[in-house]
């Protein structure tokens, strides 16, 4: 419904109570969060907008229209809205992946669009490739995008405007459902093919592959087991199971 709610969870009765309602988006709000200092809330929506809010008053601080995919042959502008599907952040930068295959990097400090990238720039426009998961990290400043066609792209954001470093066209057989950092230069991916894969972000090499699920992996969380010093991937699948894979 385009609404975002901020809830109070600290009352003694254990009830959730809305503290503030943020209303501006014209379609479903898909992603959002707080700035590090807690002074702003940011949200992105399927209506193709990114909005920062004052959490005390619920008023809009800044509204940014995300650019549509360049050179789209579709004359129906509603069909190519860069609706937000996924989001990630590193320090003051936010990266948003969209339903039209575009990726947008925004600064929370200046509240401006920094750069726009196109995951699906070499694809047939009829394929309707969506960016389903996104990562951003530093040292070096990299981004990783996973899409509905099973491809993964590693981006070098240190270069002007951001440049494609490595493209992995068939990282998964079908949609990439989740990406997660493991270390500075290593990340994991999951897909509808039921596989978990670990990648070298510098070279694009697949380091290992984990099998076990018999249907699509819907979500994946990478955690560190402090007792065993192991990196684990916790996965939930359409096969009605949750499995834990050791990635070390």
């Amino acid at each position: 419904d385009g609404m975002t709610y901020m809830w109070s969870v600290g009352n003694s009765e254990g009830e959730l109570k809305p503290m503030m309602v943020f209303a501006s988006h014209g379609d479903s709000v898909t992603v959002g969060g707080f700035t590090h200092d807690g002074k702003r809330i940011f949200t992105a929506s399927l209506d193709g907008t990114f909005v920062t809010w004052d959490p005390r008053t619920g008023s809009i601080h800044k509204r940014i229209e995300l650019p549509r995919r360049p050179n789209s042959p579709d004359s129906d502008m509603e069909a190519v809205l860069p609706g937000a599907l996924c989001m990630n952040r590193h320090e003051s930068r936010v990266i948003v992946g969209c339903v039209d295959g575009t990726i947008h990097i925004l600064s929370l400090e200046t509240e401006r669009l920094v750069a726009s990238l196109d995951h699906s720039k070499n694809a047939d426009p009829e394929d309707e490739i969506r960016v389903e998961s996104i990562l951003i990290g530093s040292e070096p400043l990299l981004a990783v995008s996973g899409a509905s066609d099973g491809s993964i792209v590693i981006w070098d954001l240190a270069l002007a405007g951001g440049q494609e470093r490595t493209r992995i066209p068939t990282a998964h057989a079908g949609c990439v459902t989740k990406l997660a950092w493991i270390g500075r230069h290593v990340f994991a991916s999951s897909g509808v093919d039921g596989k978990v894969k670990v990648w070298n972000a510098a070279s694009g090499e697949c380091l290992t592959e984990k099998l076990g699920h018999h249907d699509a992996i819907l979500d994946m969380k990478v955690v560190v087991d402090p007792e065993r010093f192991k990196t684990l991937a916790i996965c939930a699948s359409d096969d009605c199971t949750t499995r834990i894979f050791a990635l070390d």
Side-chain angles (χ1 to χ4, degrees), residues 36-222:
H36 285 303
D37 58 11
K39 295 181 179 180
R40 292 281 184 269
I41 287 174
F42 54 90
T43 57
S45 165
L46 291 179
D47 66 3
T49 62
F50 180 91
V51 179
T52 58
W53 311 79
D54 186 331
R56 297 168 298 177
T57 65
S59 60
I60 293 176
H61 190 260
K62 183 83 171 187
R63 182 184 182 91
I64 300 173
E65 299 282 342
L66 299 176
R68 291 177 170 86
R69 183 182 177 190
N71 304 319
S72 173
D74 199 327
S75 59
D76 180 4
M77 297 306 287
E78 286 296 319
V80 292
L81 279 176
L85 278 183
C86 53
M87 178 186 289
N88 204 284
R89 64 178 293 179
H90 175 70
E91 296 179 349
S92 64
R93 290 196 180 192
V94 171
I95 189 166
V96 179
C98 297
V99 296
D100 65 347
T102 58
I103 299 163
H104 306 285
I105 304 165
L106 304 104
S107 169
L108 293 175
E109 289 182 347
T110 63
E111 296 184 312
R112 293 178 180 274
L113 182 71
V114 175
S116 293
L117 308 168
D118 189 2
H119 184 112
S120 58
K121 64 181 179 180
N122 298 320
D124 187 331
E126 300 298 323
D127 289 344
E128 299 182 354
I129 295 173
R130 307 178 306 277
V131 177
E132 296 282 351
S133 189
I134 197 85
L135 294 176
I136 186 171
S138 65
E139 298 181 11
L141 189 57
L142 295 177
V144 184
S145 54
S148 55
D149 66 344
S151 63
I152 289 176
V153 177
I154 302 167
W155 307 87
D156 190 336
L157 303 184
L159 300 176
Q163 299 291 326
E164 180 178 318
R165 171 183 280 195
T166 306
R167 180 175 290 265
I168 311 167
T170 54
H172 285 272
C175 181
V176 178
T177 56
K178 200 72 174 182
L179 300 169
W181 288 117
I182 298 176
R184 286 173 53 187
H185 304 288
V186 182
F187 67 93
S189 66
S190 63
V192 297
D193 56 6
K195 297 179 180 180
V196 174
K197 297 186 179 183
V198 177
W199 306 86
N200 183 319
S203 65
E205 176 189 3
C206 183
L207 303 177
T208 188
E209 179 179 300
K210 301 296 182 179
L211 306 176
H213 283 296
H214 306 294
D215 208 335
I217 296 175
L218 304 177
D219 201 3
M220 174 183 67
K221 177 72 173 180
V222 172

